[in-house]
């Protein structure tokens, strides 16, 4: 697995939070990163570890749920396209490792779109006790279609 490095800005955009939130996570040690030349670099694997923490996932879940409600009510349309999609997908997993692999695959899909000018992102929450993951996907129809194909393949075990 390729472990991409991301900036604070990229991490904040991917998680749909403010850059101050990411800086707070770095300062508290909730998120680990490396400072090079005065700029933070964060590995995808460290983001995945952070998302596996109950306290962080609950905080982010509250934020993301309110963003989905805002979208439904017409108040949130940041995606740079004439057509915007927000969808929620619940998945059953065998364990948190499988859930993490699916999340990492979605993250790679988003990173492939960098520079396209069209915003694409997802939020992910995994409930260990239920072995369930929830993905909230945001983007244009093409991106959402790619995500759904990826999730369908992972659901088939491929």
């Amino acid at each position: 697995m390729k472990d991409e490095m991301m900036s604070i800005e990229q991490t904040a955009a991917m998680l749909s939070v403010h850059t101050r939130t990411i800086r707070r996570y770095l300062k508290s040690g909730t998120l680990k990163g490396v400072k090079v030349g005065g700029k933070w670099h964060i590995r995808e694997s460290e983001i995945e570890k952070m998302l596996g923490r109950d306290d962080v996932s609950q905080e982010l879940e509250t934020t993301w749920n309110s963003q989905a409600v805002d979208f439904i009510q017409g108040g949130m349309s940041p995606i740079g396209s004439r057509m915007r999609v927000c969808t929620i997908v619940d998945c059953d997993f065998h364990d948190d490792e499988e859930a993490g692999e699916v999340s990492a695959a979605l993250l790679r899909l988003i990173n492939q779109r960098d520079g396209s000018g069209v915003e694409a992102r997802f939020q992910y929450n995994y409930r260990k006790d239920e072995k369930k993951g929830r993905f909230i996907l945001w983007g244009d129809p093409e991106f959402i279609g790619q995500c759904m194909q990826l999730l369908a393949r992972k659901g088939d075990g491929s």
Side-chain angles (χ1 to χ4, degrees):
M1 177 178 124
K2 193 173 182 185
D3 198 8
E4 297 284 330
M5 297 292 272
M6 299 178 69
S7 67
I8 286 177
E9 293 75 16
Q10 289 170 314
T11 304
M14 181 193 74
L15 297 176
S16 301
V17 297
H18 198 277
T19 55
R20 285 189 306 251
T21 302
I22 301 304
R23 290 181 190 285
R24 178 172 48 89
Y25 288 153
L26 288 163
K27 184 177 180 181
S28 70
T30 301
L31 178 62
K32 293 187 181 356
V34 178
K35 208 170 196 180
V36 178
K39 295 201 179 246
W40 283 100
H41 300 276
I42 304 157
R43 291 190 181 281
E44 287 179 8
S45 59
E46 292 299 330
I47 297 168
E48 287 297 319
K49 285 181 195 173
M50 181 189 71
L51 291 174
R53 290 180 48 160
D54 288 340
D55 59 330
V56 174
S57 65
Q58 289 173 0
E59 177 184 343
L60 293 174
E61 183 178 13
T62 300
T63 300
W64 298 335
N65 288 346
S66 67
Q67 290 173 351
V69 169
D70 286 348
F71 183 90
I72 290 167
Q73 294 175 343
M76 187 173 180
S77 305
I79 296 153
S81 171
R82 290 187 64 215
M83 212 181 251
R84 294 162 293 282
V85 180
C86 171
T87 190
I88 300 169
V89 182
D90 288 334
C91 302
D92 294 331
F93 293 106
H94 297 291
D95 52 34
D96 55 345
E97 184 177 330
E98 179 187 20
E101 289 172 6
V102 172
S103 178
L106 284 169
L107 183 57
R108 284 191 297 276
L109 189 60
I110 285 176
N111 287 337
Q112 291 171 0
R113 294 178 59 93
D114 269 358
S116 70
V118 178
E119 183 180 357
R121 65 179 195 243
F122 79 98
Q123 289 93 31
Y124 160 66
N125 185 35
Y126 179 71
R127 295 180 187 233
K128 290 178 187 174
D129 56 332
E130 300 174 27
K131 295 186 179 181
K132 293 186 183 294
R134 171 166 281 183
F135 298 92
I136 303 177
L137 308 165
W138 310 79
D140 62 7
E142 179 185 354
F143 170 71
I144 298 301
Q146 292 170 341
C147 290
M148 298 308 290
Q149 288 175 352
L150 185 147
L151 290 168
R153 283 193 309 271
K154 295 296 182 181
D156 292 339
S158 39

